[in-house]
Amino acid sequence: MQILRWLWSAWRGNRLQAVLNALIGVLMVAVSLAQVWAVKRAIDVAAGSAGGSLLWAVAVMGLLILTDFGLNISSVWVRNILGIRAQNRMQQRMLDRLLRAEWAGRERRHSGDVINRLETDVNNVVTFLTETLPNTLGVLLLFIGAFSYLFSMDRLLAFVTVAILPLFIGVSKLYVRRMRSLTRMVRNSDSQVQSVLQEAIQHRLLIKTLEGTGAMVGKLAHTQQQLRYHVLQRTRFSVLSNFVLNFGFSFSYLVAFLWAAVRMSQHTLTFGGMTAFLQLVNRIQTPARSLSKVVPAFVSVFTAAERLMELEEAPLEEQGEPVAFDAPCGVRLTDVTYAYEADAPVIDHLSFDFRPGTCTAILGETGAGKTTLIRLILALIHPQHGQVELYDGRHAQRLSPRMRCNFVYVPQGNTLLSGTIRDNLLLGRRDASDEEMMQALHQACADFVSELPAGLDTLCSEAGGGLSEGQAQRITIARALLRDRPIMLFDESTSALDPATEQQLLSNLLGTRHRTIIFITHRPAVVKYCDGVLRLNRC
């Protein structure tokens, strides 16, 4: 029931495409049944079994064929244009949900797995809700219409034709249970393959220098072998199931053909009537076959929905209007303790005051809790004991995600995104002018941008490719300066700079005291410029 509620919620955002597909499907059913009647009438007119103009009978057939062409073109248009829009909307909604969720501290899922879900599983859900489900309505109507038409001509044959359906219904429950398990294994294996590929591409320089190409390709081969094994299992089960159903459908068609031939030989059925019989049997069995394919579609969408629902398990952060403080403001930790899951505390009863307008260096060996402290200050995680407060000259308040608007954070490493330098800077402030961007670059000692042939419009590949590490670091600092918030956090953000550039940058940053600045660093030059030092030790 939970999956059905989730699918219903997802369907509500894609009603237009679903309704259009359903309407086109109903019209196609009407045209299909009308074609049976038109062909029967044209044959009977040609054979002299019915009166009327043969030319008009053929013209009606042509008109119905053209109408069917038009409906098929409309279906393709709706599927391609509205379909990609629906998929984009769901991906945006899922990404928005992921970005607004609470920070887990330690990621449970590989990024390759998450991307696989956002692409393949979203596509499966959208296709099912906007195409498969509406088309099923048309399939049911075609089945009912064709059966009723055949029933009006020969009741016994109509019942013989659908005799396989009870068998189909009886085995469908067993089929769903087994196929759902197999599909889940295939999707999980596919995510593992994508995770290996993504890691290999992201870290290809490391792999090359460690001469680990063979090991990485071997790891990919192993995960691909698991995927092939699960696909083989699912295929065997699917082939066996389809063979049983198709054998029943084929046997039913042969019985219908023999019955119509006997009646025609006894002159109780015209040649046009026999043609109509066989067309109607086909139009009964075709939707029945289509309905049998709906079961795997249900299995696939249930699996996809489960995987997407797992991405939504993390609770949302506190939502609401941002809470801004006057500059300068400070951060105060009082008896703060934090541990990841069942591990020993990383931060243990820490109290410290990052006073407004000061510059503080955080020092400590690896594993001492420097990164955890930054996450606490940014309200990405919350202390299990004690409290973190933000305060200015007027009031103090317990830190929450809504106060993140008061911070600028420059993470460790290269955090430039693919695109132009301008695109990266505008992430700091969307309405920044060229003059303001150049001023921020100057303050960050990144005047080299003005000397580049394309200037601000210089393209960077993934992770700032095309720039040196030092150049990339200075652009990320300029991006932080454009954001211009009262508290700035730098995590080893000058590690790739030469001493002279680092000294000039620190002088620029600390020229005024309207910001509170926190450095995580190992560099003595940075510590020299700070008002205070917080030393963290392993608990």
Side-chain angles (χ1 to χ4, degrees):
M1 285 300 295
Q2 188 177 2
I3 295 177
L4 292 176
R5 284 194 296 269
W6 189 92
L7 289 172
W8 170 255
S9 175
W11 180 83
R12 287 165 58 188
N14 301 292
R15 288 177 179 173
L16 176 60
Q17 186 185 358
V19 170
L20 287 176
N21 277 326
L23 180 60
I24 292 172
V26 170
L27 292 175
M28 291 178 74
V29 168
V31 169
S32 179
L33 294 176
Q35 284 179 316
V36 174
W37 170 84
V39 170
K40 176 181 180 300
R41 177 166 176 74
I43 292 175
D44 285 342
V45 169
S49 303
S53 169
L54 179 61
L55 185 61
W56 276 107
V58 174
V60 170
M61 287 177 58
L63 180 62
L64 290 171
I65 290 172
L66 290 175
T67 304
D68 188 56
F69 284 165
L71 290 172
N72 275 293
I73 292 172
S74 300
S75 177
V76 171
W77 182 266
V78 170
R79 181 171 62 251
N80 290 341
I81 302 302
L82 295 184
I84 189 63
R85 187 181 300 172
Q87 183 173 336
N88 291 344
R89 276 198 306 269
M90 177 166 279
Q91 285 178 335
Q92 291 167 14
R93 182 177 71 82
M94 293 297 303
L95 180 60
D96 181 78
R97 178 63 174 76
L98 283 170
L99 294 178
R100 292 180 184 274
E102 288 187 355
W103 183 264
R106 291 175 178 171
E107 293 297 330
R108 291 174 50 199
R109 294 184 178 86
H110 194 284
S111 57
D113 176 37
V114 175
I115 292 172
N116 187 277
R117 296 177 191 228
L118 291 178
E119 291 180 348
T120 306
D121 292 325
V122 164
N123 180 63
N124 286 345
V125 169
V126 170
T127 300
F128 179 84
L129 295 177
T130 60
E131 296 180 30
T132 305
L133 212 55
N135 292 343
T136 301
L137 175 61
V139 169
L140 284 171
L141 289 176
L142 178 59
F143 177 83
I144 294 170
F147 177 81
S148 301
Y149 198 161
L150 184 60
F151 185 81
S152 68
M153 298 179 68
D154 192 311
R155 297 184 179 183
L156 181 59
L157 181 59
F159 284 117
V160 169
T161 303
V162 299
I164 192 167
L165 290 183
L167 175 63
F168 166 71
I169 295 172
V171 301
S172 61
K173 187 173 182 180
L174 296 175
Y175 174 88
V176 167
R177 185 182 299 117
R178 178 59 176 161
M179 183 58 80
R180 191 170 174 184
S181 172
L182 293 172
T183 301
R184 179 78 186 200
M185 288 190 288
V186 168
R187 294 296 303 117
N188 289 342
S189 296
D190 189 44
S191 287
Q192 290 173 2
V193 169
Q194 182 159 347
S195 298
V196 173
L197 287 170
Q198 184 170 321
E199 280 195 343
I201 293 171
Q202 285 180 334
H203 303 292
R204 56 187 179 277
L205 179 60
L206 173 66
I207 294 169
K208 287 171 69 68
T209 56
L210 293 177
E211 297 182 300
T213 300
M216 205 67 196
V217 173
K219 183 178 180 180
L220 175 62
H222 176 69
T223 55
Q224 289 174 328
Q225 184 180 12
Q226 290 180 316
L227 175 61
R228 287 196 304 271
Y229 173 73
H230 292 141
V231 169
L232 178 61
Q233 281 188 308
R234 188 178 65 175
T235 303
R236 284 174 176 169
F237 184 72
S238 179
V239 167
L240 177 61
S241 305
N242 287 333
F243 173 78
V244 173
L245 289 174
N246 288 329
F247 179 83
F249 283 129
S250 299
F251 180 77
S252 178
Y253 184 84
L254 289 174
V255 170
F257 183 88
L258 178 62
W259 183 267
V262 169
R263 283 197 56 185
M264 187 176 174
S265 67
Q266 295 174 348
H267 305 291
T268 60
L269 185 67
T270 65
F271 181 67
M274 181 175 178
T275 304
F277 261 25
L278 297 180
Q279 287 188 82
L280 288 171
V281 169
N282 182 60
R283 278 166 170 76
I284 289 174
Q285 291 195 344
T286 297
R289 291 174 188 267
S290 298
L291 289 174
S292 70
K293 294 177 182 178
V294 170
V295 176
F298 266 101
V299 172
S300 179
V301 78
F302 274 33
T303 302
E306 280 181 331
R307 283 163 54 85
L308 292 175
M309 288 167 65
E310 288 172 357
L311 296 182
E312 298 180 331
E313 289 177 350
L316 286 173
E317 285 186 330
E318 178 186 337
Q319 304 296 306
E321 291 296 320
V323 180
F325 279 64
D326 293 334
C329 56
V331 180
R332 184 164 48 228
L333 291 83
T334 305
D335 201 26
V336 169
T337 297
Y338 186 85
Y340 291 99
E341 298 175 356
D343 295 347
V346 180
I347 303 291
D348 192 18
H349 297 288
L350 173 66
S351 295
F352 194 84
D353 190 358
F354 298 94
R355 297 187 310 278
T358 61
C359 178
T360 306
I362 301 177
L363 306 178
E365 60 182 319
T366 301
K370 300 186 297 297
T371 300
T372 300
L373 179 58
I374 290 295
R375 291 174 180 173
L376 286 165
I377 293 174
L378 290 171
L380 294 169
I381 56 178
H382 308 288
Q384 286 129 1
H385 182 270
Q387 67 177 11
V388 182
E389 292 178 303
L390 190 65
Y391 69 98
D392 56 19
R394 295 182 304 162
H395 61 285
Q397 189 172 339
R398 184 187 290 267
L399 195 64
S400 74
R402 292 195 296 139
M403 299 179 197
R404 207 172 288 146
C405 62
N406 299 284
F407 294 89
V408 173
Y409 176 46
V410 182
Q412 186 176 4
N414 188 333
T415 58
L416 291 183
L417 306 180
S418 58
T420 64
I421 293 176
R422 181 193 305 276
D423 294 334
N424 276 278
L425 291 174
L426 289 176
L427 285 174
R429 199 173 89 233
R430 301 301 303 173
D431 60 348
S433 65
D434 284 10
E435 182 180 353
E436 289 171 325
M437 285 188 276
M438 294 307 297
Q439 183 178 354
L441 288 167
H442 174 71
Q443 192 175 2
C445 298
D447 295 298
F448 68 88
V449 172
S450 62
E451 301 172 3
L452 297 174
L456 291 170
D457 295 313
T458 300
L459 283 171
C460 306
S461 59
E462 184 181 7
L467 300 171
S468 70
E469 286 296 313
Q471 289 174 326
Q473 277 191 340
R474 283 176 279 171
I475 292 174
T476 59
I477 292 172
R479 182 172 63 194
L481 292 171
L482 272 176
R483 182 167 162 82
D484 192 23
R485 299 304 162 90
I487 301 177
M488 303 187 73
L489 296 96
F490 296 91
D491 188 354
E492 298 286 3
S493 302
T494 63
S495 58
L497 304 184
D498 61 84
T501 303
E502 182 180 47
Q503 184 175 356
Q504 182 60 53
L505 174 63
L506 292 171
S507 297
N508 293 345
L509 289 176
L510 302 173
T512 62
R513 290 293 182 172
H514 68 282
R515 297 190 187 98
T516 302
I517 299 179
I518 302 172
F519 284 105
I520 291 181
T521 184
H522 292 96
R523 296 168 72 91
V526 176
V527 178
K528 183 177 66 175
Y529 278 87
C530 294
D531 303 311
V533 174
L534 170 61
R535 296 184 183 275
L536 297 177
N537 300 308
R538 285 190 178 186
C539 298

